[in-house]
């Protein structure tokens, strides 16, 4: 019996999101052609390898490698697929908006290939865009390079993903919802059919005009940053009130269905490659439309103040000559990404204050070297950090830290070490040491 041919899609951009996206789609029954300009990336993927530390990626790549091929040729990818996803960088500009230059270059190449293609084709832009970019900048480029009309000869959609690095594959398979900004109903239908096949959880699929999808993407992340900064504002307040504890406050607030508990914890400032950029991008969009968006602006102000607030905890709870160890340089667990990392920003802040600082991270140590203050020392293991420091600050909630640190402190009889737990991953009963938490009132004087 002849085996049925699998449908084929293409992915342009094989970076931190593009490669996991490609592999995830292959695991759900698609042939996938990946396009990238980096010869090493292409070679590695064709050899079944990836430099990414993304969870489950290596396993799925090995299992579904036969369905995947990578190339530098747009023609090979576009002519042999029906649906193309663009997942290339959109770097921030000086005013906070996103530059669409890499998306524009990809669309120009795709358009030139579409001149040769008579079959219908849908292009979905996953890369984050500033509102208005698709209609005002990108659609004209695609129509000019292809000589065809969007909505008639092919479709162009905005289809951003809501993922967290380190958990990308699970986020793609089980999203809270799917967002589609469609040029036309037929293109939206094709994308919806694709996600009905890929997603395991039958998520809601919200279809709308591209401009509304562009606003939704950055508004969603900005709302989350507002929630984080609200919790950190409460933490800073509770630290000045004897007996107050922001955790008890936010846990109670989160029980209200209008608020919810996710991201409502007084801890570290938000960082990473999305939250800070999207917050600034929404403000830039407001300014472009002659409106000052005060809420995201103040959210960012509170966020920046949280590093100094954590440094005050260190000052209050640590003898002046204690060497300080920072545990966690990745912006979140299960990744080596250090964009706007709390651990790095705090270590640099403390080094600038003439503190003796050493750092450790299980994955992100090498990526952090280029942006850490040269006065900062590096520990090659958690054991080395514990043995060299008298104060430890947990800035990334690595699961291995929760289990390994208590063992090391007990085994090496390091009971005098002061622990500052920014994520409340330890209970006092877990450790033989004194633990300081963000948001408790006995530490900071008004």
């Amino acid at each position: 019996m002849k085996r049925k041919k699998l449908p084929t899609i293409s992915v342009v951009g094989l970076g931190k999101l593009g490669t996991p996206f490609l592999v995830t789609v292959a695991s759900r029954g698609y042939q996938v052609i990946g396009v990238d300009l980096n010869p090493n990336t292409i070679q590695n993927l064709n050899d079944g390898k990836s430099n990414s530390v993304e969870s489950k990626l290596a396993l799925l790549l090995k299992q579904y490698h036969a369905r995947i091929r990578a190339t530098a040729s747009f023609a090979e990818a576009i002519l042999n697929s029906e649906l193309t996803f663009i997942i290339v960088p959109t770097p921030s500009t000086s005013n906070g908006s996103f530059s669409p230059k890499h998306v524009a270059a990809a669309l120009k190449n795709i358009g030139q290939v579409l001149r040769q293609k008579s079959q219908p084709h849908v292009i979905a832009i996953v890369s984050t865009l500033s509102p208005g970019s698709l209609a005002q900048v990108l659609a004209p480029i695609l129509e000019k390079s292809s000589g065809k009309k969007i909505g008639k000869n092919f479709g162009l959609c905005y289809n951003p993903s809501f993922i967290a690095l380190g958990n990308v594959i699970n986020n793609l398979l089980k999203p809270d919802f799917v967002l589609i900004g469609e040029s036309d109903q037929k293109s939206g239908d094709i994308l919806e059919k694709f996600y009905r096949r890929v997603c395991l959880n039958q998520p809601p699929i919200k279809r709308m005009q591209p401009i509304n999808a562009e606003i939704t993407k950055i508004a969603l992340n900005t709302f989350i940053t507002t929630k984080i900064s609200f919790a950190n504002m409460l933490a800073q307040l509770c630290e000045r009130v004897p007996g107050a504890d922001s955790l008890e406050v936010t846990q109670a607030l989160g029980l209200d269905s209008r608020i919810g508990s996710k991201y409502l914890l007084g801890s570290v400032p938000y960082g990473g490659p999305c939250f800070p950029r999207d917050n600034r991008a929404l403000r830039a969009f407001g300014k472009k439309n002659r409106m000052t968006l005060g809420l995201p602006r103040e959210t960012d102000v509170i966020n920046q103040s949280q590093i100094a607030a954590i440094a005050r905890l260190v000052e209050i709870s640590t003898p002046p000559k204690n060497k300080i160890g920072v545990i966690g340089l990745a912006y979140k667990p299960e990744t080596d990404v250090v964009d706007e990392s709390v651990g790095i920003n705090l270590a640099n802040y403390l080094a600038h204050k003439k503190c003796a600082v050493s750092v450790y991270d299980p994955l992100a140590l090498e990526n952090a070297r280029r942006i850490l203050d040269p006065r900062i020392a590096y520990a090659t293991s958690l054991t080395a950090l514990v043995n060299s420091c008298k104060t430890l600050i947990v800035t990334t909630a690595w699961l291995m830290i929760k289990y390994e640190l208590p063992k090391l402190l007990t085994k090496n009889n390091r009971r005098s070490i002061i622990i500052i737990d920014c994520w409340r991953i330890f209970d006092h009963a877990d450790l033989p040491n004194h633990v300081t938490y963000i948001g408790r009132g006995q530490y900071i004087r008004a």
Side-chain angles (χ1 to χ4, degrees), residues 309-319 418 420 436 442-445:
I310 298 171
R312 286 199 302 271
L313 275 183
V314 178
E315 181 183 353
I316 294 297
S317 52
T318 303
I418 295 166
I420 299 175
T436 296
Q442 62 265 41
Y443 298 117
I444 291 188
R445 297 182 292 271

PDB file of all heavy atoms in Angstrom, residues 309-319 418 420 436 442-445:
ATOM      1  N   ALA A 309      16.251  47.601  45.006  1.00  0.00           N
ATOM      2  CA  ALA A 309      15.535  47.101  46.189  1.00  0.00           C
ATOM      3  C   ALA A 309      16.154  45.785  46.672  1.00  0.00           C
ATOM      4  O   ALA A 309      16.306  45.568  47.880  1.00  0.00           O
ATOM      5  CB  ALA A 309      14.056  46.893  45.845  1.00  0.00           C
ATOM      6  N   ILE A 310      16.526  44.902  45.738  1.00  0.00           N
ATOM      7  CA  ILE A 310      17.173  43.648  46.129  1.00  0.00           C
ATOM      8  C   ILE A 310      18.556  43.937  46.714  1.00  0.00           C
ATOM      9  O   ILE A 310      18.982  43.309  47.695  1.00  0.00           O
ATOM     10  CB  ILE A 310      17.276  42.692  44.929  1.00  0.00           C
ATOM     11  CG1 ILE A 310      15.878  42.317  44.422  1.00  0.00           C
ATOM     12  CG2 ILE A 310      18.042  41.424  45.311  1.00  0.00           C
ATOM     13  CD1 ILE A 310      15.875  41.551  43.121  1.00  0.00           C
ATOM     14  N   ALA A 311      19.256  44.894  46.117  1.00  0.00           N
ATOM     15  CA  ALA A 311      20.576  45.267  46.644  1.00  0.00           C
ATOM     16  C   ALA A 311      20.463  45.791  48.072  1.00  0.00           C
ATOM     17  O   ALA A 311      21.360  45.564  48.903  1.00  0.00           O
ATOM     18  CB  ALA A 311      21.219  46.315  45.741  1.00  0.00           C
ATOM     19  N   ARG A 312      19.373  46.478  48.401  1.00  0.00           N
ATOM     20  CA  ARG A 312      19.159  46.937  49.783  1.00  0.00           C
ATOM     21  C   ARG A 312      18.996  45.750  50.727  1.00  0.00           C
ATOM     22  O   ARG A 312      19.470  45.783  51.870  1.00  0.00           O
ATOM     23  CB  ARG A 312      17.926  47.850  49.873  1.00  0.00           C
ATOM     24  CG  ARG A 312      18.132  49.240  49.298  1.00  0.00           C
ATOM     25  CD  ARG A 312      17.084  50.217  49.804  1.00  0.00           C
ATOM     26  NE  ARG A 312      15.730  49.778  49.491  1.00  0.00           N
ATOM     27  CZ  ARG A 312      15.079  50.074  48.377  1.00  0.00           C
ATOM     28  NH1 ARG A 312      15.679  50.804  47.449  1.00  0.00           N
ATOM     29  NH2 ARG A 312      13.853  49.647  48.178  1.00  0.00           N
ATOM     30  N   LEU A 313      18.314  44.705  50.259  1.00  0.00           N
ATOM     31  CA  LEU A 313      18.200  43.494  51.073  1.00  0.00           C
ATOM     32  C   LEU A 313      19.569  42.916  51.385  1.00  0.00           C
ATOM     33  O   LEU A 313      19.837  42.479  52.500  1.00  0.00           O
ATOM     34  CB  LEU A 313      17.383  42.434  50.331  1.00  0.00           C
ATOM     35  CG  LEU A 313      15.865  42.454  50.420  1.00  0.00           C
ATOM     36  CD1 LEU A 313      15.301  41.256  49.669  1.00  0.00           C
ATOM     37  CD2 LEU A 313      15.402  42.432  51.857  1.00  0.00           C
ATOM     38  N   VAL A 314      20.426  42.910  50.371  1.00  0.00           N
ATOM     39  CA  VAL A 314      21.785  42.394  50.556  1.00  0.00           C
ATOM     40  C   VAL A 314      22.514  43.235  51.595  1.00  0.00           C
ATOM     41  O   VAL A 314      23.170  42.710  52.501  1.00  0.00           O
ATOM     42  CB  VAL A 314      22.553  42.404  49.223  1.00  0.00           C
ATOM     43  CG1 VAL A 314      23.990  41.925  49.419  1.00  0.00           C
ATOM     44  CG2 VAL A 314      21.846  41.540  48.188  1.00  0.00           C
ATOM     45  N   GLU A 315      22.389  44.539  51.488  1.00  0.00           N
ATOM     46  CA  GLU A 315      23.088  45.452  52.400  1.00  0.00           C
ATOM     47  C   GLU A 315      22.617  45.273  53.839  1.00  0.00           C
ATOM     48  O   GLU A 315      23.428  45.245  54.778  1.00  0.00           O
ATOM     49  CB  GLU A 315      22.852  46.900  51.957  1.00  0.00           C
ATOM     50  CG  GLU A 315      23.558  47.921  52.812  1.00  0.00           C
ATOM     51  CD  GLU A 315      23.254  49.351  52.383  1.00  0.00           C
ATOM     52  OE1 GLU A 315      22.600  49.535  51.323  1.00  0.00           O
ATOM     53  OE2 GLU A 315      23.648  50.276  53.092  1.00  0.00           O
ATOM     54  N   ILE A 316      21.316  45.119  54.023  1.00  0.00           N
ATOM     55  CA  ILE A 316      20.757  44.996  55.368  1.00  0.00           C
ATOM     56  C   ILE A 316      21.112  43.663  56.015  1.00  0.00           C
ATOM     57  O   ILE A 316      21.397  43.571  57.204  1.00  0.00           O
ATOM     58  CB  ILE A 316      19.221  45.151  55.320  1.00  0.00           C
ATOM     59  CG1 ILE A 316      18.836  46.573  54.903  1.00  0.00           C
ATOM     60  CG2 ILE A 316      18.586  44.808  56.664  1.00  0.00           C
ATOM     61  CD1 ILE A 316      19.279  47.653  55.841  1.00  0.00           C
ATOM     62  N   SER A 317      21.118  42.603  55.216  1.00  0.00           N
ATOM     63  CA  SER A 317      21.244  41.267  55.790  1.00  0.00           C
ATOM     64  C   SER A 317      22.640  40.669  55.710  1.00  0.00           C
ATOM     65  O   SER A 317      22.859  39.557  56.180  1.00  0.00           O
ATOM     66  CB  SER A 317      20.253  40.316  55.097  1.00  0.00           C
ATOM     67  OG  SER A 317      20.386  40.381  53.692  1.00  0.00           O
ATOM     68  N   THR A 318      23.610  41.404  55.137  1.00  0.00           N
ATOM     69  CA  THR A 318      24.940  40.850  54.918  1.00  0.00           C
ATOM     70  C   THR A 318      26.025  41.710  55.557  1.00  0.00           C
ATOM     71  O   THR A 318      26.045  42.935  55.344  1.00  0.00           O
ATOM     72  CB  THR A 318      25.230  40.755  53.403  1.00  0.00           C
ATOM     73  OG1 THR A 318      24.220  39.971  52.790  1.00  0.00           O
ATOM     74  CG2 THR A 318      26.576  40.131  53.132  1.00  0.00           C
ATOM     75  N   PRO A 319      26.936  41.135  56.318  1.00  0.00           N
ATOM     76  CA  PRO A 319      28.087  41.895  56.827  1.00  0.00           C
ATOM     77  C   PRO A 319      28.875  42.490  55.661  1.00  0.00           C
ATOM     78  O   PRO A 319      28.969  41.883  54.588  1.00  0.00           O
ATOM     79  CB  PRO A 319      28.905  40.836  57.564  1.00  0.00           C
ATOM     80  CG  PRO A 319      27.912  39.797  57.955  1.00  0.00           C
ATOM     81  CD  PRO A 319      26.913  39.752  56.838  1.00  0.00           C
ATOM     82  N   ILE A 418      24.541  33.173  54.520  1.00  0.00           N
ATOM     83  CA  ILE A 418      23.248  33.856  54.456  1.00  0.00           C
ATOM     84  C   ILE A 418      22.642  33.610  53.075  1.00  0.00           C
ATOM     85  O   ILE A 418      23.313  33.765  52.049  1.00  0.00           O
ATOM     86  CB  ILE A 418      23.430  35.362  54.696  1.00  0.00           C
ATOM     87  CG1 ILE A 418      23.921  35.595  56.122  1.00  0.00           C
ATOM     88  CG2 ILE A 418      22.128  36.121  54.436  1.00  0.00           C
ATOM     89  CD1 ILE A 418      24.446  36.992  56.356  1.00  0.00           C
ATOM     90  N   ILE A 420      19.697  34.668  50.370  1.00  0.00           N
ATOM     91  CA  ILE A 420      18.653  35.605  49.953  1.00  0.00           C
ATOM     92  C   ILE A 420      17.909  34.930  48.801  1.00  0.00           C
ATOM     93  O   ILE A 420      18.444  34.770  47.704  1.00  0.00           O
ATOM     94  CB  ILE A 420      19.236  36.960  49.530  1.00  0.00           C
ATOM     95  CG1 ILE A 420      19.969  37.595  50.714  1.00  0.00           C
ATOM     96  CG2 ILE A 420      18.126  37.885  49.016  1.00  0.00           C
ATOM     97  CD1 ILE A 420      20.687  38.878  50.391  1.00  0.00           C
ATOM     98  N   THR A 436      16.578  34.988  53.829  1.00  0.00           N
ATOM     99  CA  THR A 436      15.912  36.273  53.650  1.00  0.00           C
ATOM    100  C   THR A 436      15.052  36.210  52.397  1.00  0.00           C
ATOM    101  O   THR A 436      15.521  35.761  51.346  1.00  0.00           O
ATOM    102  CB  THR A 436      16.941  37.408  53.488  1.00  0.00           C
ATOM    103  OG1 THR A 436      17.697  37.531  54.693  1.00  0.00           O
ATOM    104  CG2 THR A 436      16.255  38.733  53.192  1.00  0.00           C
ATOM    105  N   GLN A 442      10.654  42.672  58.007  1.00  0.00           N
ATOM    106  CA  GLN A 442      11.641  42.851  59.066  1.00  0.00           C
ATOM    107  C   GLN A 442      13.022  43.233  58.542  1.00  0.00           C
ATOM    108  O   GLN A 442      13.946  43.443  59.302  1.00  0.00           O
ATOM    109  CB  GLN A 442      11.796  41.567  59.910  1.00  0.00           C
ATOM    110  CG  GLN A 442      12.290  40.360  59.153  1.00  0.00           C
ATOM    111  CD  GLN A 442      11.158  39.488  58.671  1.00  0.00           C
ATOM    112  OE1 GLN A 442      10.139  40.007  58.214  1.00  0.00           O
ATOM    113  NE2 GLN A 442      11.301  38.176  58.786  1.00  0.00           N
ATOM    114  N   TYR A 443      13.174  43.359  57.212  1.00  0.00           N
ATOM    115  CA  TYR A 443      14.513  43.535  56.676  1.00  0.00           C
ATOM    116  C   TYR A 443      14.885  44.971  56.345  1.00  0.00           C
ATOM    117  O   TYR A 443      16.002  45.395  56.572  1.00  0.00           O
ATOM    118  CB  TYR A 443      14.689  42.677  55.432  1.00  0.00           C
ATOM    119  CG  TYR A 443      14.544  41.224  55.726  1.00  0.00           C
ATOM    120  CD1 TYR A 443      13.515  40.483  55.155  1.00  0.00           C
ATOM    121  CD2 TYR A 443      15.381  40.594  56.635  1.00  0.00           C
ATOM    122  CE1 TYR A 443      13.356  39.148  55.440  1.00  0.00           C
ATOM    123  CE2 TYR A 443      15.223  39.240  56.935  1.00  0.00           C
ATOM    124  CZ  TYR A 443      14.222  38.533  56.347  1.00  0.00           C
ATOM    125  OH  TYR A 443      14.064  37.226  56.626  1.00  0.00           O
ATOM    126  N   ILE A 444      13.964  45.754  55.829  1.00  0.00           N
ATOM    127  CA  ILE A 444      14.332  47.088  55.362  1.00  0.00           C
ATOM    128  C   ILE A 444      13.659  48.168  56.198  1.00  0.00           C
ATOM    129  O   ILE A 444      12.450  48.107  56.448  1.00  0.00           O
ATOM    130  CB  ILE A 444      13.953  47.257  53.877  1.00  0.00           C
ATOM    131  CG1 ILE A 444      14.866  46.366  53.030  1.00  0.00           C
ATOM    132  CG2 ILE A 444      14.073  48.698  53.426  1.00  0.00           C
ATOM    133  CD1 ILE A 444      14.746  46.573  51.563  1.00  0.00           C
ATOM    134  N   ARG A 445      14.435  49.093  56.626  1.00  0.00           N
ATOM    135  CA  ARG A 445      13.907  50.215  57.402  1.00  0.00           C
ATOM    136  C   ARG A 445      13.435  51.322  56.464  1.00  0.00           C
ATOM    137  O   ARG A 445      14.059  51.598  55.450  1.00  0.00           O
ATOM    138  CB  ARG A 445      15.011  50.754  58.326  1.00  0.00           C
ATOM    139  CG  ARG A 445      15.494  49.748  59.358  1.00  0.00           C
ATOM    140  CD  ARG A 445      16.539  50.381  60.255  1.00  0.00           C
ATOM    141  NE  ARG A 445      17.761  50.672  59.525  1.00  0.00           N
ATOM    142  CZ  ARG A 445      18.759  49.798  59.396  1.00  0.00           C
ATOM    143  NH1 ARG A 445      18.676  48.603  59.942  1.00  0.00           N
ATOM    144  NH2 ARG A 445      19.849  50.140  58.737  1.00  0.00           N
TER     145      ARG A 445
END
